Amino acid sequence: MTTLLPVTLENLLAYLADVLFPARKAMAELRARWAKPGDKDGWRDSDYFDLVRDREASSSIDDKTWVDLEYPKIFASMDSTVTPVGSQVLYRRMREYSGDAATLAANYAVCAELRSNAALRETLQRRLLPLKDESNNRIVDFVFGKLPPAPRHQALLWSWSLASAAVLGGVVWWAWPAWIWVAMLFVNAFLIFRACADSLRDAETLTQCLLLVKVADDLAALHEAHRSLPQLAGLHGEASNRRAVRKALRWLARLKRPESAFVFVWLNFAFLLELLAHGRAMRRFAVLRHKLAASFELVGEIDAMIAMASWLAYRPDHCHPSFSDCAMLDIEDGGHPLLEAGVRNSIRLEQRSALVTGSNMAGKTTFIKMVGVNVLLGQTLGFCLAARATIPHAPVMASIQAGHSVASGKSHYFSEVETIRSFFARQADQRRAIFVIDELFTGTNTTERVAVARAVLESLGEGSIVLATTHDVELQALLDERYDLYHFQESPDVDGFFDYRLRAGPASERNAIRLLGELGFPARIVAKAMRYAREELAGEKRGADVPRRGVRTKPVGSA
């Protein structure tokens, strides 16, 4: 008993403290989530980006590349934000390129301070907590989206409200029949019922906009003590715009105060007060809502920066990249965001592209994804998962998971053709790009696949950096004038059969058939495949020994 009593009492006191001080419990949860992957569901996180992507001239990651490089999973692992506003701003940051190296460096420095200064980080999170509820994801609709129409017939509602007040006065002072006012109450109830769903939803969102104003004011008050965070200074500078919004919505705010809610429910029933306040607030907010855009962005950015700092604490193997004005791509010990314990690889390309060969599951697709993702992270968030990185300012486009769509009627080959055609269009618009291509044109026969792949990769490599994988070893000799050759290979002595190490030079070993045996294929099938492979190689060698008229042979790997 003596050992159980203190524990029980401690738990009881902790429970009571959580009930009486919910912010205490919320902060404990935030501390427990620090330096861990995000666990949010991603609902409506793309709304902010979707609303502004067509209005602003910023360059963004295209939808196919976003999916092919598994960015939805990367975003989910990074999204430990407190508020829906923070999630929406983080999503937009991850989708848009930043052409300003100084801004990216400043953001990286802010993340470093938030990692090291727990007191500042938790002070900011504490002031963000009022916006924690998921329903606040509707704020973005009212600030950047198309506003719902204001309630109609406002003049008639005002007239009816005044008539209700006059009739009540007549009943009280001049003893008019009470049934007249009771009848008017039934009319009011009908009007409230008709407008209830829309008015309540819109009024709630306007109240959430006011909550955003309050949170922004609370954060702005910290700007003097923390001048290293430019977002706080930005919020301080937006104070006058927020005052205008607060003034426009003050009557609605008073109606929504918990202490006065009961009284105003009856005033609304008697005189349609809430409908009138809602209509007036919607009209005024429509004129002033642009004044809230900067505060929305800055509040969300603070939350997003804390989430980025948490993720960088979870993945300390990162750096701020250097940016090159030429076609230079240099990543040392690069890692993939979704592989915490993955093998690290390095690559250096200077006015060159890379052709990577290897069997399935050897790691070549993961490698080119790793390079593409790190280039994108460096240009959007200002960090790479690498010991050191030099990257160009260039958009990244990927073709990795093209497939057949029954609904669209497009085959794998046709889908891939459309994607590669968009690569050429992008290359025509810009001097440089980075193309990540996995096993080009696998949906056609070997002869045509090699011919088309050679033509495409040669052309794309003329002005851009290409990271391409292939099973067609013939391409190594055909493309080595513009492409550096790399390969992954099987390692029978390694547990799992692969060591996932990138090796320079053309592939020289063929162990894919041996992998079948490791994976439990019947021994007779493996032996037969090995015999067929030896016969095929012997035939290739005999053909290579016979010079063809008009064809100049060239050994693999020669310039």
Side-chain angles (χ1 to χ4, degrees):
M1 291 294 294
T2 55
T3 58
L4 291 177
L5 183 58
V7 174
T8 304
L9 181 60
E10 181 181 352
N11 292 341
L12 177 61
L13 292 175
Y15 173 77
L16 291 175
D18 289 343
V19 171
L20 296 173
F21 307 101
R24 173 185 178 275
K25 180 181 178 181
M27 286 306 302
E29 292 174 351
L30 290 174
R31 292 188 185 107
R33 290 168 55 191
W34 174 253
K36 291 182 175 63
D39 56 1
K40 302 180 78 173
D41 60 12
W43 186 54
R44 297 197 62 179
D45 289 339
S46 65
D47 284 8
Y48 178 36
F49 173 73
D50 293 336
L51 287 170
V52 303
R53 69 188 301 183
D54 295 329
R55 305 180 192 175
E56 302 181 8
S58 57
S59 177
S60 61
I61 302 171
D62 66 274
D63 293 340
K64 179 169 173 51
T65 299
W66 177 261
V67 173
D68 280 6
L69 295 183
E70 299 183 78
Y71 249 79
K73 295 180 181 178
I74 298 172
F75 167 75
S77 73
M78 200 176 296
D79 186 16
S80 59
T81 52
V82 176
T83 71
V85 176
S87 294
Q88 291 165 347
V89 171
L90 177 62
Y91 185 95
R92 182 185 177 188
R93 287 285 174 272
M94 293 184 70
R95 286 294 298 257
E96 292 184 347
Y97 294 99
S98 174
D100 187 0
T103 299
L104 291 170
N107 290 343
Y108 187 72
V110 169
C111 288
E113 180 172 357
L114 291 171
R115 287 201 317 275
S116 61
N117 192 339
L120 169 60
R121 181 177 71 239
E122 292 183 1
T123 298
L124 297 172
Q125 289 178 314
R126 193 173 294 110
R127 301 196 178 198
L128 287 166
L129 278 173
L131 279 174
K132 180 180 180 181
D133 192 88
E134 281 300 315
S135 63
N136 291 302
N137 56 31
R138 295 195 299 262
I139 295 174
V140 70
D141 297 328
F142 270 39
V143 178
F144 298 97
K146 182 179 179 181
L147 280 177
R152 296 177 296 173
H153 313 305
Q154 285 290 293
L156 290 176
L157 286 176
W158 275 102
S159 300
W160 183 259
S161 177
L162 293 174
S164 297
V167 168
L168 178 61
V171 170
V172 173
W173 295 104
W174 294 288
W176 292 2
W179 66 264
I180 301 176
W181 192 61
V182 172
M184 298 189 77
L185 289 181
F186 277 104
V187 175
N188 290 353
F190 175 75
L191 294 174
I192 292 171
F193 176 77
R194 285 287 304 271
C196 182
D198 293 337
S199 65
L200 287 179
R201 183 181 62 250
D202 296 346
E204 181 64 24
T205 306
L206 288 174
T207 305
Q208 291 164 350
C209 291
L210 277 172
L211 184 59
L212 174 65
V213 168
K214 182 182 182 304
V215 169
D217 287 342
D218 291 343
L219 290 169
L222 301 172
H223 81 284
E224 287 286 353
H226 303 285
R227 294 183 178 273
S228 58
L229 270 64
Q231 293 82 6
L232 296 177
L235 285 172
H236 178 71
E238 287 291 316
S240 61
N241 285 333
R242 290 195 300 275
R243 278 196 298 272
V245 174
R246 190 187 304 109
K247 183 178 179 181
L249 301 180
R250 65 180 181 273
W251 284 106
L252 185 65
R254 290 171 183 170
L255 285 174
K256 292 296 182 179
R257 287 177 181 171
E259 61 272 17
S260 57
F262 179 78
V263 174
F264 280 114
V265 164
W266 289 102
L267 289 176
N268 184 46
F269 184 51
F271 309 115
L272 305 179
L273 189 61
E274 185 170 352
L275 289 180
L276 296 173
H278 170 232
R280 182 172 183 270
M282 286 293 291
R283 290 193 303 272
R284 300 190 69 183
F285 185 78
V287 176
L288 296 172
R289 65 176 180 153
H290 67 279
K291 293 180 178 291
L292 205 52
S295 291
F296 177 96
E297 171 74 17
L298 291 165
V299 169
E301 190 169 331
I302 290 171
D303 197 5
M305 288 286 186
I306 296 173
M308 289 161 55
S310 175
W311 195 76
L312 291 177
Y314 164 65
R315 294 297 303 265
D317 47 336
H318 55 79
C319 69
H320 177 62
S322 301
F323 293 94
S324 171
D325 293 330
C326 61
M328 162 71 79
L329 175 58
D330 185 6
I331 294 179
E332 180 181 326
D333 292 336
H336 195 286
L338 300 179
L339 298 175
E340 184 178 359
V343 175
R344 298 190 162 269
N345 283 295
S346 304
I347 189 170
R348 179 184 176 88
L349 299 172
E350 192 168 2
Q351 307 291 338
R352 302 277 290 175
S353 293
L355 183 67
V356 185
T357 57
S359 62
N360 287 327
M361 300 188 296
K364 59 185 186 298
T365 302
T366 300
F367 170 74
I368 62 171
K369 284 185 177 182
M370 178 274 291
V371 176
V373 164
N374 274 295
V375 174
L376 286 176
L377 287 175
Q379 294 185 85
T380 56
L381 301 183
F383 58 79
C384 298
L385 288 185
R388 178 181 55 80
T390 300
I391 60 176
H393 279 296
V396 177
M397 298 184 73
S399 175
I400 293 177
Q401 296 178 346
H404 178 268
S405 170
V406 175
S408 67
K410 295 178 181 179
S411 68
H412 178 104
Y413 180 78
F414 187 79
S415 298
E416 197 168 13
V417 167
E418 285 190 324
T419 300
I420 300 302
R421 185 172 58 194
S422 71
F423 287 8
F424 284 111
R426 174 59 68 95
Q427 191 176 42
D429 293 339
Q430 303 187 15
R431 290 182 299 172
R432 185 187 306 123
I434 297 175
F435 300 118
V436 180
I437 305 173
D438 186 38
E439 299 182 20
L440 193 61
F441 299 129
T442 55
T444 188
N445 63 78
T446 302
T447 301
E448 291 186 315
R449 179 175 67 246
V450 172
V452 177
R454 178 186 181 183
V456 166
L457 294 177
E458 280 180 346
S459 298
L460 290 177
E462 290 175 358
S464 300
I465 297 175
V466 183
L467 298 157
T469 70
T470 185
H471 285 292
D472 296 315
V473 294
E474 302 93 330
L475 288 172
Q476 295 177 127
L478 300 173
L479 293 171
D480 64 351
E481 290 185 3
R482 292 189 180 277
Y483 284 73
D484 291 338
L485 304 180
Y486 298 90
H487 68 279
F488 287 86
Q489 69 182 41
E490 301 79 359
S491 181
D493 299 327
V494 175
D495 185 26
F497 208 68
F498 297 106
D499 60 10
Y500 306 111
R501 295 287 180 186
L502 182 70
R503 294 169 172 83
S508 58
E509 297 184 12
R510 300 189 181 188
N511 294 319
I513 297 176
R514 295 180 60 184
L515 175 60
L516 299 179
E518 294 287 332
L519 296 177
F521 251 62
R524 60 185 181 82
I525 302 297
V526 175
K528 186 180 293 187
M530 293 286 281
R531 186 176 73 251
Y532 291 158
R534 286 193 296 269
E535 293 172 357
E536 181 69 22
L537 288 173
E540 291 178 3
K541 186 176 185 304
R542 286 194 300 270
D545 291 339
V546 179
R548 289 174 291 168
R549 181 176 300 176
V551 177
R552 180 182 176 184
T553 60
K554 178 175 65 174
V556 173
S558 63

